[in-house]
Amino acid sequence: MRTSQYLLSTVKETPADAEIISHKLMLRAGMVRRLGSGMFSYLPTGVRVLRKVEQIVREEMNKAGAIEVLLPMVQPAELWQESGRWDTMDAELLRFKDRHQRDYVLGPTHEEVITDLVRREITSYKQLPLNLYQIQTKFRDERRPRFGVMRAREFLMKDAYSFHLGQASLQQTYDAMYSAYCNIFNRLGLDYRPVQADSGAIGGSVSHEFHVLAESGEDAIAFSDTSDYAANIEMAEALAPTGDKPTPSQALREVATPSAGSVSDVAALLQVANTRIAKTLFVLAEADEQGKQQLVALVLRGDHELNELKAEKLAGVASPLQFATDEQIRALCHAGPGSVGPVGLNIKIIADRSAAHLADFIVGANKEGYHFNGVNWERDISDYQIADIRNIVAGDPSPCGFGHIVIKRGIEVGHIFQLGEKYSKALKAGVLNEEGKHQIMTMGCYGVGVSRIVAAAIEQNHDDNGIIWPDAIAPFQVALIPMNMHKSVRIAEVTEQLYQQLTAAGIDVLFDDRRERPGVMFADMELIGVPHSIVIGERNLDNQQVEYKNRRSGEKAMLDIASVVTDIQQKITR
RNA sequence: CGGUGAUUGGCGCAGCUUGGUAGCGCACUUGGUUUGGGUCCAAGGGGUCGCAGGUUCAAAUCCUGCAUCACCGACCA
């Protein structure tokens, strides 16, 4: 490609509304332009990268036995009503009507469509297992789109769905997808980790996320410092403290804590560590037969945070988790939040494992401006359950049994699930088994955020001058930068010749044939992140040489014109 | 959804407090100049000041409503 015939569209100024580095650089490098909130147009350079990522994903999926399909983005409401997600999926699902006033949705994911397709096409166990995938645009009406294409509403995703008769077959495909994903991210040249995850709104049981590690990541991941255990923080089990519970030694007493509401206030006032305080949160219980919802008290150590996902999975707790209002709390405790505690409450009380390990601790006294000190389980709070309801924190023992927890941030770029029968059962997708009996299929689903990978790759690979693409996904592998080509026939001829040779060798070359000053060309090629550049100048031409520069390492070398193609090929495949 | 802020040539912004008919930088066009790290000089084109209504002799500026966009928040009692 010649710059004079290309749409480079680089800009010097950083748009004001770009927050993170990948967003800024994608705008500056002329990869994307914002059309509306969470919606982006891809310019040629952006498309080139997107296609390269896509192609690697496609190749690895094919290699792993998946077959490509293409499903509609606009989907009839009936399918979503049939699966039940028309009602459960709320605002994120964009709905609209056609000219006949029929309801449709813009596909945020394709479980319904694929399950419908498969139930029509597949009738016998002999056709299983089957793994179908597509690379397609999704639309999710995010409550807050941000970070450019990282959390956009419209985005490009690879989604695969597998169908099986039985768990063993599902596990086999799941494992194959797991290694296919590792291959994908290895080929992309990214620093990533597979982590244990919750399966969330899509449903199912076993699940892994693939995260690209980056400071700007939206997810926190818990790692063991000695084993290869890694789990999403919302999922990582916080173990009970080891050793015996300290022996109670104090009597229960009331202490005045005027205007001390938060844990840190109380700790400061009473001159104790916040680990000696237990905080009490109130959430709604599951509705009883009359449809009434009582409250449930969740008790956590003062330095810990509630893990909502863990809490809402507990029996008796309403799911999704709903916090009690101030009024509800006052009606129950006769005190406002800040002075409330579990002592004397006649409702279900769930203590976190760490909170349950406390003795002689401090809680709100259910009396405005007062706390109890010297509180002890059993003696003062007899009826309670113990559960893991907190977020794991750095330094906790790892749930795998080896080492301690380190927390890092990651960008979720892949997610694999074992769905089970959630959708196949709802849509009655089954086959005849060996006994000639109808049997519901078991499903798995496997997603890769293609457009998000592009942003994640930039987060991990950039410097002050711009993007530094890994070779595998660079929009161009080589930049040809001639010095004063328009004044020197010799330069023009050599550059033209190199361009022909490199292109013929199947290398993506960007030939900067603009009438620009050298500084402009250097700056642009660095900004868009071309990994290898060749500078053609008069002084080296006398020796039949050109200058090579590596974008990432800064390495410079002189190359003989005669061997440029093979030299470059070696540097690329490296 | 709640809070805060923004909206002025293609992009980034000033002007608004104190109303008087719009300006700067980048980009673009033309001519010259320069040519191994975002040249310099000169001339030029381009704006219903987000939309609607109101106040006024007069509104980018004041008032009201709406729209769009962004940031922060949406467990930590």
Side-chain angles (χ1 to χ4, degrees), chain A residues 12 40 43 112 139 154 158 161 183 203 217 236 259 455 458 494 526 573:
Chain A
K12 278 190 238 178
F40 292 88
L43 300 180
E112 282 81 359
F139 192 96
E154 184 173 312
K158 185 283 302 179
Y161 307 88
N183 293 341
S259 70
I458 296 173
V494 171
E526 282 167 11
T573 48

Side-chain angles (χ1 to χ4, degrees), chain A residues 158-279:
Chain A
K158 185 283 302 179
D159 48 327
Y161 307 88
S162 68
F163 296 84
H164 313 268
L165 212 57
Q167 175 64 27
S169 167
L170 170 59
Q171 187 65 46
Q172 219 166 39
T173 298
Y174 186 86
D175 293 343
M177 285 295 104
Y178 187 101
S179 33
Y181 276 34
C182 291
N183 293 341
I184 289 169
F185 297 116
N186 284 334
R187 280 185 65 184
L188 290 171
L190 300 177
D191 183 16
Y192 74 98
R193 297 295 142 75
V195 311
Q196 296 174 21
D198 184 80
S199 47
I202 297 189
S205 47
V206 180
S207 172
H208 284 86
E209 288 169 356
F210 289 76
H211 282 263
V212 165
L213 300 182
E215 282 302 312
S216 56
E218 289 190 89
D219 294 295
I221 302 160
F223 292 92
S224 161
D225 59 6
T226 48
S227 81
D228 54 8
Y229 173 86
N232 194 304
I233 199 164
E234 56 186 23
M235 168 81 180
E237 182 183 2
L239 299 177
T242 50
D244 293 332
K245 187 151 84 174
T247 318
S249 63
Q250 300 181 11
L252 183 73
R253 60 194 187 277
E254 204 174 81
V255 290
T257 50
S259 70
S262 68
V263 166
S264 50
D265 290 348
V266 175
L269 186 74
L270 300 181
Q271 301 269 302
V272 298
N274 53 7
T275 51
R276 284 223 30 235
I277 299 172
K279 59 184 177 188

